[in-house]
Amino acid sequence: MVQCEMCGAETSSPKTIKVEGAKLDVCSNCTDFGTEVKQQTSSSSSTKYSTSSSSSSSSSSSSGSTSTSSSASGGSSSQPRSDMFDDMDELATDYDDLVRKAREEKGLSQSDLANELNEKSSLIRKIERGDTLPSDNVQSKLERFLEINLSAQSGSSEDSEWSGGSSSGSYTLGDVVKRKD
């Protein structure tokens, strides 16, 4: 006997239903609270990801099919996953100074620059103070008009800190933490 996951009643033949995205094994009285999920038979349930117990049982029945599926999935998992942030350019930490200096070199006021870029002067003021980060669109406008590069350089000083470490080659907490003294 199994307990209904909704009302707690004992049932001998639970039905699987889906309630707001969650699959529950419920008694016949509670099936009206969700939509019934069709059960797959064990012979037709072949998934891309399987546990070791299911792969061992399928390997005993057909060793040829598991070797092709494991080599297909093994090839894709050996490649490192690409993170979407790897391709993104990081904004320079002194972007506010870069924008201000370039604007002043061109002899423009903040409102003149805003008019040229078709942006609000308050946005330029906030960017130059460092209160806000420029959106990708505004960043490209600033870079094009002021002829500057606001992307952080790949060999920044923050990355060079990680090349040190202790003499054994492993890092300790003291190698990584920056004190606020």
Side-chain angles (χ1 to χ4, degrees):
M1 296 287 275
V2 178
Q3 270 193 332
C4 172
E5 293 179 346
M6 188 163 288
C7 69
E10 296 284 329
T11 180
S12 60
S13 59
K15 293 187 169 117
T16 304
I17 64 167
K18 197 172 205 179
V19 179
E20 294 184 5
K23 291 182 181 177
L24 302 173
D25 289 328
V26 298
C27 64
S28 57
N29 295 334
C30 296
T31 56
D32 295 335
F33 293 115
T35 56
E36 192 166 349
V37 177
K38 301 290 186 222
Q39 296 289 336
Q40 291 182 347
T41 60
S42 61
S43 62
S44 67
S45 65
S46 124
T47 59
K48 181 177 178 181
Y49 305 104
S50 60
T51 60
S52 59
S53 62
S54 65
S55 64
S56 64
S57 64
S58 64
S59 65
S60 62
S61 62
S62 61
S63 61
S65 65
T66 56
S67 64
T68 57
S69 65
S70 64
S71 65
S73 65
S76 63
S77 64
S78 64
Q79 299 216 352
R81 293 185 79 177
S82 174
D83 191 1
M84 66 180 261
F85 297 108
D86 292 341
D87 300 330
M88 295 174 69
D89 289 333
E90 193 172 323
L91 192 63
T93 56
D94 60 341
Y95 70 94
D96 49 347
D97 293 330
L98 293 171
V99 171
R100 184 182 309 110
K101 288 177 186 173
R103 176 185 58 80
E104 289 172 349
E105 284 177 8
K106 288 202 174 231
L108 296 172
S109 68
Q110 290 178 341
S111 59
D112 291 339
L113 178 60
N115 288 336
E116 290 290 334
L117 300 178
N118 199 20
E119 297 291 337
K120 293 183 178 182
S121 59
S122 61
L123 176 65
I124 303 300
R125 191 169 32 257
K126 288 178 183 178
I127 290 173
E128 287 187 1
R129 278 195 316 238
D131 290 343
T132 186
L133 297 173
S135 66
D136 291 340
N137 186 23
V138 172
Q139 179 181 346
S140 63
K141 285 181 185 180
L142 286 167
E143 288 176 338
R144 231 180 297 116
F145 185 76
L146 297 175
E147 299 170 352
I148 57 174
N149 185 9
L150 296 177
S151 299
Q153 303 300 325
S154 60
S156 68
S157 62
E158 294 175 11
D159 293 339
S160 63
E161 290 179 24
W162 289 97
S163 62
S166 63
S167 60
S168 65
S170 62
Y171 292 103
T172 64
L173 189 58
D175 295 327
V176 180
V177 172
K178 293 180 183 176
R179 293 180 54 172
K180 289 187 176 182
D181 295 344

